Amino acid sequence: MSVRLTVVGSVNLDLVASGSALPCPGQTVTGAVLARHPGGKGANQALAARRLGAEVRLVGRVGADPFAEEALALLRADGVDLSDCRAVEDALTGVALICVSADGENQISVAPGSNLSLTPDLLPDLGGEAVLLQLEVPRETVETTVRAARGFVALNLAPAAEIGRETLERADLIIVNEGEAAFYGEMLEGLPGLLAVTLGARGARLFRAGELIAEASPPPVAAVDTTGAGDAFSGALVVALLEGQTPDAALRFACAAGALAASRPGAQPSLPTRAAVEAAPGIRP
């Protein structure tokens, strides 16, 4: 039986310029190719979990504009429950402006728009479902959700921002990359839950109460676009842990999902299916 997961988070439309190199401050780089993809960390992680077999509800907000349906198209097509992802009349759908270089590295600037309208008073009843959150919606909404949750709570601390210690201590799983881990520093020490730290092409490590309990390397891929790779990892790790996979197996599963996402362009279009992840080299010891 599939796991059930509620994702509380952002919905964006990604405008992606893929070129030979990323611009330096004050520099104009031409010759890029423009593409539009659905995105937003909340939406990406919801779709990642759905494609890996979970029953997923997304709680979010879009604007009453032409970008909204485009931003929700892949979620709708894959069967994510969007009954709590509603339009805000006086706001614009969030937009991410993304530059991608030939080696897959990226720079991202986000105009959050309607995502800031997801205030705590608009949150639905979470029941006992597992919850996955990120930090692209108001901090008060994240902290209220964590306090109200009665089931498993996973918190992806991205993008890095101030968050209360009480919220960190309640989370059953925290996910950060190396930069985010450095930002939070000592705040991540002594937490009772699991802590996953992603290391890019070097894989990831999983800690419990400061003790390393698992580490994994991703399968070898040619990186095309790393946008969404972290979201694929987050969705996959949560699904695997909810399914009862061991820490080692769950981390291998998540690393494979992230690597496969990095091997294709776009955030949501790149998110792999369950079959693709299970067929990845190194997924089994």
Side-chain angles (χ1 to χ4, degrees):
M1 185 172 66
S2 63
V3 300
R4 296 186 60 84
L5 176 66
T6 294
V7 178
V8 178
S10 57
V11 180
N12 292 332
L13 186 67
D14 292 349
L15 305 181
V16 185
S18 299
S20 59
L22 299 177
C24 299
Q27 180 186 23
T28 297
V29 176
T30 190
V33 176
L34 181 67
R36 296 152 64 112
H37 303 294
K41 288 188 175 297
N44 294 347
Q45 293 179 19
L47 186 60
R50 177 62 185 149
R51 287 187 176 170
L52 297 172
E55 296 294 327
V56 181
R57 170 176 60 157
L58 175 62
V59 179
R61 289 295 181 270
V62 294
D65 57 33
F67 280 1
E69 275 309 304
E70 195 173 349
L72 296 173
L74 293 183
L75 294 161
R76 201 181 303 281
D78 276 78
V80 173
D81 180 356
L82 298 176
S83 57
D84 287 302
C85 189
R86 301 170 188 167
V88 181
E89 290 297 329
D90 57 350
L92 298 175
T93 299
V95 171
L97 306 176
I98 304 173
C99 293
V100 181
S101 67
D103 60 1
E105 289 300 317
N106 61 46
Q107 294 174 339
I108 305 175
S109 180
V110 177
S114 55
N115 293 305
L116 299 182
S117 301
L118 186 61
T119 50
D121 57 299
L122 300 177
L123 291 169
D125 180 25
L126 300 172
E129 288 189 10
V131 182
L132 171 58
L133 307 101
Q134 321 75 33
L135 302 183
E136 287 188 334
V137 295
R139 169 180 167 174
E140 295 80 7
T141 300
V142 173
E143 294 181 337
T144 299
T145 302
V146 171
R147 283 196 302 270
R150 302 193 296 276
F152 183 91
V153 173
L155 181 58
N156 176 209
L157 294 175
E162 291 186 8
I163 197 79
R165 176 75 183 185
E166 179 182 350
T167 299
L168 300 180
E169 290 178 344
R170 168 61 184 89
D172 298 289
L173 169 67
I174 289 174
I175 303 167
V176 291
N177 63 23
E178 288 181 283
E180 292 150 2
F183 176 88
Y184 290 101
E186 294 180 356
M187 289 187 68
L188 299 179
E189 297 178 4
L191 298 175
L194 295 170
L195 172 66
V197 182
T198 61
L199 308 169
R202 292 178 288 123
R205 294 172 180 165
L206 188 64
F207 301 85
R208 178 184 288 121
E211 178 185 355
L212 179 66
I213 62 171
E215 55 185 324
S217 299
V221 299
V224 173
D225 180 2
T226 57
T227 309
D231 295 328
F233 176 95
S234 296
L237 183 59
V238 171
V239 169
L241 291 173
L242 291 176
E243 289 176 344
Q245 294 188 36
T246 66
D248 281 313
L251 202 62
R252 288 195 303 271
F253 186 79
C255 282
L260 291 174
S263 70
R264 298 176 57 192
Q268 289 184 26
S270 72
L271 297 172
T273 63
R274 181 84 184 214
V277 174
E278 291 183 338
I283 192 67
R284 293 178 177 83

